[in-house]
Amino acid sequence: MDQPTIADYGFLSDCRSGALVGRNGSIDWWCPDRFDSPAVFGRLLDPEAGHWRLAPVGADRPGWRVERAYQPETLVLRTVHHTPQGSVAVTDALAAERGARGHQLGLNSPAVLLRCVEGLSGRVRLASDFVPRPDHGLLTPYLHDQPGGTVLAVAGATMVELCSDSLTLRAGTDRVHTEFDVAAGETVGFAAGYRAAYGAPSARLDPSAMLAETVQAWEAFRETHRYQGCYPELVRHSAVVLTGLTYARSGAVAAALTTSLPEQLGGDRNYDYRYAWLRDFSMTLRALWVAACPAEASRLFTWAAHSIGRVGAEPVPVLFGLAGERDISEHVAEHLRGYADSRPVRFGNDAWRQRQLDVPGEVVAAVWRLHHLLGDPLDYEVREMVCGLTEQVAETWRLPDRGMWETRDVDRHYLSSKVLCWVALDRAVALAPRLGERADPRRWAAIRDEIRDTVLRRGWSERAGAYTGAFGSDELDASVLFLPVVGFLPATDPRMRATIDAVERVLGAGGGLIRRWETDPAGFLLCTFLLVECLVLAGERERAGALFERAAGYANDVGLLSEQIDPHTGAQLGNTPQALSHIGLINAAWRLTDPTTD
């Protein structure tokens, strides 16, 4: 099997978990219990780790054409296969709970994959090849024929039942292979329902009815998103992607659907992004507000407050599990070859152990952003969290850390971390009248000003002619683009303007892309969208708009963005779909709409 490109995949979600389906009709990734659970289909990371392909027989032949698109503002994907014998459409979705509407989507998702075939013209022969391999490919299930022509796959902690509304399915030794014809006007539906082993049997699955219910659920949800601004179609679609990455039961937004898709093919910078990062918190909230998703923003805030708990002397982790788990220790799956032989494959993420001084700034900034919704006075837990985080910053801001890119070498005095410490204190001072007796705005303001003076003095490099990535360094780092975005310095400040120019000149990778640092092999989409914001704030709106359109143009044919882009080929790299890339798009579009509103 030729490895599909990252851009070949479409994204399905039930706001509990997600799946990736290729243009070739193969579902190569599905972790059915929740985003960060073990995969049942994992061919994304190894050819033998399971898949479910549904496509015309011989669909790999040259000249056969495929078109696909989401039903408007949903994550229900329709793929049309054009063959010499005729055309068929396959509609794929992860099922919504019956009756779910609006913000109920995902609260009790049944964990069912739906695949419905519709004959459009002629008569086309199709094949379904259902090859579950639970626990990230470690298990080959027993397959049992069931009454009614269904097949039950059982292995370890997993049971998956495959059924069809019009075909009798039969178990093979290690897969369920079915071939059938579909003529114009005919339909054939499939459903694969997951449940934990030893759980209650699933209700009878009805693919067509469940698909119609799922479309209605997404359409009802669409009505809650009423963005008014530049690039409305792009923003609304990115909002749908963020909704699809939201674990509805807690409100947490996963950084991406996948683990270990490489930043460079054959490289080893392959990390698990199926968790929720506090670093992204303020940016995510801003994006959700811009896209008119207030309920999601409020739930995300509640998740963060519960996950952090009472703040003590220990640093707050930069990321948590989707239900607030703190220990998400990393291990390497030696049995998996990795995407395009890019090893290691990692599950878990040891960045939770790092000291990340920017985290409190993101959280306090989020409270400041949402303060008008949180009541007056703020409730006790919120007041304690803000005061605890602010005091932690006051005590620790002079320490080095690993920086926002989570380096795995040594601690440094990263400029972006110091600036987010300034943000924490600055926003806490503004919130002080609502924080009660524990607030100490005079002391906090003094430390805030000390941080600012230190950054301005030690962050500037005469040799580079710019603010650089860390104190005492001459190396540029695109994270300094946050300085104008968070209000630390105006983009028109002479030194900040020189920094923006230097980042664009030195870290530009071609095609409008910006790398994180000079040795970074690929353009990082968030950095590119941050440059758009900086250019708007510097008064160069026309150039910013052109850069925005180039960056947004790296989306695949169904509007999905991964983490990075190969500057030479335009190929997507890194985990996908990447929340930060879609967050960056939304925030940059809003900056282009209204530069004066944060």
Side-chain angles (χ1 to χ4, degrees), residues 20 98 138 189 222 305 387:
L20 292 180
R98 184 176 181 181
L138 285 172
R222 177 178 63 195
C387 290

Side-chain angles (χ1 to χ4, degrees), residues 230-277:
C230 294
Y231 303 104
E233 291 185 5
L234 292 175
V235 168
R236 285 196 290 266
H237 181 62
S238 286
V240 171
V241 173
L242 290 182
T243 299
L245 289 171
T246 299
Y247 182 62
R249 296 175 182 178
S250 68
V253 178
L257 179 65
T258 57
T259 177
S260 301
L261 294 187
E263 297 178 10
Q264 183 176 17
L265 295 183
D268 62 357
R269 290 182 57 84
N270 318 320
Y271 302 113
D272 194 346
Y273 280 9
R274 300 173 300 156
Y275 307 104
W277 264 251

Side-chain angles (χ1 to χ4, degrees), residues 570-585:
Q572 295 193 6
L573 295 169
N575 286 304
T576 194
Q578 178 77 11
L580 266 186
S581 297
H582 288 278
I583 288 165
L585 183 152

Side-chain angles (χ1 to χ4, degrees), residues 215-228:
V215 171
Q216 290 179 45
W218 278 105
E219 288 177 343
F221 193 84
R222 177 178 63 195
E223 297 305 313
T224 68
H225 295 186
R226 297 186 179 278
Y227 169 79
Q228 303 293 326

Side-chain angles (χ1 to χ4, degrees), residues 76 113 210 225 249 255 273 370 421 490 540 545 581:
V76 176
L113 267 171
M210 295 180 81
H225 295 186
R249 296 175 182 178
Y273 280 9
L370 280 180
C421 288
E540 296 191 47
S581 297

Side-chain angles (χ1 to χ4, degrees), residues 217-402:
W218 278 105
E219 288 177 343
F221 193 84
R222 177 178 63 195
E223 297 305 313
T224 68
H225 295 186
R226 297 186 179 278
Y227 169 79
Q228 303 293 326
C230 294
Y231 303 104
E233 291 185 5
L234 292 175
V235 168
R236 285 196 290 266
H237 181 62
S238 286
V240 171
V241 173
L242 290 182
T243 299
L245 289 171
T246 299
Y247 182 62
R249 296 175 182 178
S250 68
V253 178
L257 179 65
T258 57
T259 177
S260 301
L261 294 187
E263 297 178 10
Q264 183 176 17
L265 295 183
D268 62 357
R269 290 182 57 84
N270 318 320
Y271 302 113
D272 194 346
Y273 280 9
R274 300 173 300 156
Y275 307 104
W277 264 251
L278 286 181
R279 169 177 300 113
D280 310 343
F281 193 57
S282 185
M283 287 185 290
T284 305
L285 282 169
R286 180 177 178 233
L288 290 173
W289 271 104
V290 164
C293 311
E296 291 96 317
S298 297
R299 285 163 53 215
L300 176 60
F301 180 81
T302 300
W303 166 84
H306 290 173
S307 298
I308 291 169
R310 188 178 292 276
V311 179
E314 290 297 311
V316 174
V318 67
L319 71 155
F320 291 89
L322 299 176
E325 301 89 346
R326 184 167 290 219
D327 185 344
I328 48 175
S329 297
E330 183 178 299
H331 70 278
V332 172
E334 301 286 356
H335 69 287
L336 295 174
R337 288 170 47 179
Y339 177 85
D341 292 318
S342 301
R343 289 177 170 166
V345 172
R346 295 180 171 96
F347 299 115
N349 196 309
D350 274 347
W352 77 273
R353 304 177 189 273
Q354 296 181 353
R355 180 166 61 234
Q356 300 285 351
L357 296 179
D358 56 340
V359 171
E362 288 284 354
V363 177
V364 177
V367 176
W368 173 75
R369 188 180 300 281
L370 280 180
H371 70 272
H372 59 290
L373 287 182
L374 298 177
D376 191 6
L378 298 173
D379 69 41
Y380 173 76
E381 290 184 3
V382 174
R383 296 198 308 270
E384 284 295 298
M385 180 180 70
V386 172
C387 290
L389 290 173
T390 305
E391 288 296 333
Q392 189 174 95
V393 168
E395 295 296 326
T396 62
W397 73 269
R398 293 180 180 83
L399 297 174
D401 73 343
R402 293 297 176 91

Side-chain angles (χ1 to χ4, degrees), residues 97-120:
E97 180 189 11
R98 184 176 181 181
R101 295 292 183 269
H103 298 289
Q104 296 174 327
L105 182 64
L107 294 179
N108 293 289
S109 296
V112 176
L113 267 171
L114 303 172
R115 314 200 73 180
C116 294
V117 182
E118 176 189 1
L120 301 179

